[in-house]
Amino acid sequence: MNHILDQDIKYLPGVGPRRKEILSKELGIKTYGDLLEYYPYKYVDRSKIYHIDELSDDMPFVQLKGKILGFDEYAMGVRQKRIVAHFSDGHGVVDLVWFHGTQYVYKKYKINTEYVIFGKPSIFGGRFQFTHPDIDQADQLELSSMGMQPYYITTDKMKKVGLTSRSIEKLTKTLIEKISYQPLSETLPPFIIQSLHLISRDSAFHLVHYPHDTKEMQQARLRIKFEELFYVQLNILRYANERKKKYQGYIFQHIGTQFHYFYNHNLPFTLTNAQKKVMHEIRNDMKTGKQMNRLLQGDVGSGKTLVALMSMLIAIDNGYQTCIMAPTEILAEQHLITIRNFLKDMNIRVELLTSIIKGKKRQKVLQGLASGEIQILVGTHSIIENQVVFLHPGLAVID
C-alpha cells in the first residue's frame, strides 16, 4: 500500500499541475508522501463555540455561531474597497471584514444563513471584528469531530494564489481519506512498539494532522519523532560497523614515557570520573586495530581538550603524529597556546597551520610534518589540503 505515497501530488483532488508546481517550488512537496510528512506547526482547539459577549481583545482564535445580518462597503482608494458583514449570534454583533475578493464574498455568503466563523478577534471603531475569517455553513460542520485544527506554514507566493494554511489542511484531509481504506504498513517491530507504548504508524500520521485533543497530538508526535531518530541512529550504527570491517586502524600497543611524564608532572588537576571513564574507552579502542570514530561531548570547560591531548600522547608514544582541527583561526591559536602550556618542558614539537601561515614559515611546518619532527599539528581546514603530508599520521581530532 505504501506505493500510493509515491504518487505524484498533482493527481490528488484539488491540486492539479498548477498547484503542484507551486507546492513543489515553495515547500518541496512533490508526492503524496511529501504532503503527509508536511506537519502542522501549531493547533487551535475547534471544539468550543463562544458567545460574542464572551470575547476579549487578548483572545487568540475563537469561533462563533450565528447569522450575517447585512453587508456594507467602504471605499479604500482607486478601485479598492473594504467589505464588512455584520454578524450576530443573539448575544451581540461583530464585523467580518474582507479587503479583497468582493464578488466571491457576495456569492459565497448569504444573509440569514447560519454559519460558524473562526478567526482572531480584534477591536476597531469600538466593535469586535474578524479579518478574513474562516467560514463554514453550520449544518455542514461537525464541531464534535473537529478537535484541534492544524495550521501549516505557507509562503507569500502561496497565499497570493489562494494556497493558505486552510487549503493545505483540506488537501491533507483529502489525502488521509484517500489512504484510509488500507492502513499504512508498520516500520517498527512489535517489541519496540509494545515496550515503549507507541501508537501505530498509520494512527500517528492521521493524528498528527487531525488530533482530537492534546494527548493524541503528543502521542502522534512522539511516534514520528522516535521513528525518525531511531532510523538515523540505526543508520549511524550500520555505517560505523561497515567502516570497522572495511578500514583497519593502527594498534597503539603501549602507553609510554610522554604520557606518563605528562600525567605525573604536567597534569594540572585530578581527572574527573567522567574523564577517566572516557580515557579508558579510548584506550580500549586504540588497542583493537580498528579505526576509531568517537564523539566526545561535554560542556564548555569540562576538559574535552585535555582528554584529546592525552589521547594524542598515546599515539605519539607509539610513534605516530597527531593533529587537531578547529573551525576558526582564533580557536586554533587558542588550542596552540593551551596545548603548549600543558606540554611545558616536554620534548614534543607543536606547530600551527592556518591560512595566515605563509612563505618560509609555512614551508618549515610542511617539512617538519613530512619528516616526522612535528608530533602535534594544530590548525584549521588548512591541515587537510593536498600539500600537507604527514610522515606517520595516527590520530586526528576535530573540534
Side-chain angles (χ1 to χ4, degrees):
M1 178 61 185
N2 282 3
H3 69 277
I4 194 174
L5 299 183
D6 298 324
Q7 184 89 335
D8 195 313
I9 193 65
K10 72 180 178 182
Y11 297 117
L12 184 70
V15 180
R18 187 178 173 216
R19 278 190 163 186
K20 177 211 168 170
E21 184 179 356
I22 297 170
L23 289 170
S24 177
K25 286 183 178 179
E26 297 299 306
L27 302 179
I29 297 176
K30 300 177 181 179
T31 66
Y32 286 6
D34 293 335
L35 179 61
L36 195 62
E37 293 180 350
Y38 190 66
Y39 306 122
Y41 73 96
K42 72 175 182 179
Y43 304 85
V44 176
D45 187 359
R46 290 293 305 270
S47 61
K48 180 176 173 58
I49 292 285
Y50 287 85
H51 291 153
I52 292 176
D53 58 10
E54 295 179 304
L55 297 182
S56 62
D57 58 357
D58 60 350
M59 284 181 162
F61 289 86
V62 299
Q63 57 188 357
L64 307 172
K65 185 176 181 180
K67 297 179 180 180
I68 294 176
L69 304 179
F71 291 93
D72 283 321
E73 290 185 5
Y74 301 90
M76 295 184 61
V78 180
R79 303 174 71 177
Q80 289 185 337
K81 54 187 174 182
R82 174 169 58 100
I83 305 172
V84 177
H86 308 295
F87 182 89
S88 176
D89 65 350
H91 296 269
V93 178
V94 297
D95 291 335
L96 313 181
V97 183
W98 295 270
F99 293 96
H100 51 77
T102 307
Q103 297 304 317
Y104 174 83
V105 171
Y106 287 137
K107 183 178 179 181
K108 181 75 173 177
Y109 306 122
K110 306 299 180 182
I111 294 174
N112 289 325
T113 299
E114 193 169 47
Y115 295 105
V116 173
I117 70 164
F118 177 76
K120 187 178 187 330
S122 60
I123 295 179
F124 180 78
R127 180 183 285 184
F128 283 105
Q129 70 172 21
F130 292 77
T131 303
H132 291 275
D134 291 339
I135 302 181
D136 296 281
Q137 279 194 220
D139 59 359
Q140 297 178 4
L141 195 64
E142 296 182 19
L143 294 175
S144 60
S145 64
M146 289 192 67
M148 302 176 70
Q149 181 174 2
Y151 276 75
Y152 302 86
I153 293 175
T154 55
T155 66
D156 290 336
K157 288 184 179 180
M158 294 175 65
K159 291 184 177 75
K160 288 179 180 178
V161 296
L163 268 175
T164 62
S165 171
R166 188 69 185 276
S167 304
I168 300 296
E169 177 195 347
K170 290 179 179 178
L171 292 176
T172 305
K173 186 175 182 180
T174 300
L175 174 58
I176 289 177
E177 290 174 350
K178 195 175 184 69
I179 65 176
S180 63
Y181 298 105
Q182 183 176 345
L184 297 175
S185 60
E186 191 53 74
T187 55
L188 295 176
F191 74 90
I192 290 181
I193 296 174
Q194 293 167 6
S195 62
L196 297 178
H197 305 289
L198 300 173
I199 63 175
S200 70
R201 179 170 177 253
D202 185 72
S203 295
F205 276 120
H206 181 90
L207 295 178
V208 78
H209 291 285
Y210 297 102
H212 291 94
D213 51 42
T214 303
K215 182 180 179 181
E216 287 187 349
M217 179 265 289
Q218 291 173 340
Q219 288 177 327
R221 283 183 166 181
L222 175 62
R223 165 59 203 256
I224 291 171
K225 289 178 180 180
F226 175 84
E227 180 172 327
E228 182 175 344
L229 292 175
F230 175 78
Y231 281 108
V232 167
Q233 188 173 19
L234 202 62
N235 197 44
I236 291 173
L237 291 173
R238 179 190 60 80
Y239 177 73
N241 286 331
E242 286 179 355
R243 286 189 64 87
K244 285 182 179 180
K245 294 176 182 178
K246 186 175 181 180
Y247 299 104
Q248 294 297 312
Y250 299 124
I251 298 176
F252 299 158
Q253 294 181 340
H254 65 277
I255 295 178
T257 56
Q258 300 288 12
F259 183 94
H260 286 301
Y261 184 90
F262 173 80
Y263 192 86
N264 294 321
H265 298 92
N266 287 23
L267 189 63
F269 46 78
T270 303
L271 295 179
T272 65
N273 289 333
Q275 287 173 316
K276 291 177 181 178
K277 178 177 181 290
V278 76
M279 278 306 305
H280 282 301
E281 292 177 357
I282 291 172
R283 175 64 185 128
N284 289 334
D285 280 349
M286 288 178 163
K287 293 187 293 185
T288 63
K290 302 291 184 181
Q291 190 182 78
M292 178 177 69
N293 288 279
R294 177 174 288 275
L295 174 66
L296 182 60
Q297 182 176 338
D299 294 333
V300 175
S302 61
K304 299 186 296 296
T305 303
L306 178 59
V307 170
L309 176 58
M310 293 175 70
S311 302
M312 289 190 281
L313 291 176
I314 295 175
I316 292 169
D317 276 332
N318 285 270
Y320 293 94
Q321 296 165 285
T322 66
C323 66
I324 178 169
M325 185 170 69
T328 65
E329 292 180 351
I330 293 176
L331 187 56
E333 291 170 358
Q334 290 175 347
H335 279 320
L336 178 71
I337 295 170
T338 300
I339 291 174
R340 281 181 171 174
N341 287 336
F342 273 139
L343 301 179
K344 184 178 180 181
D345 300 327
M346 293 181 66
N347 187 27
I348 294 179
R349 184 177 170 186
V350 185
E351 296 292 347
L352 178 70
L353 186 63
T354 65
S355 60
I356 62 174
I357 307 298
K358 300 181 182 297
K360 291 183 179 179
K361 190 174 182 180
R362 186 181 187 87
Q363 193 60 35
K364 188 176 179 181
V365 172
L366 295 178
Q367 290 173 353
L369 288 172
S371 66
E373 295 174 12
I374 296 176
Q375 291 124 312
I376 299 178
L377 180 65
V378 182
T380 57
H381 61 277
S382 296
I383 70 177
I384 58 175
E385 294 176 355
N386 290 336
Q387 62 267 36
V388 180
V389 179
F390 291 78
L391 180 63
H392 292 122
L395 178 67
V397 178
I398 302 174
D399 186 4

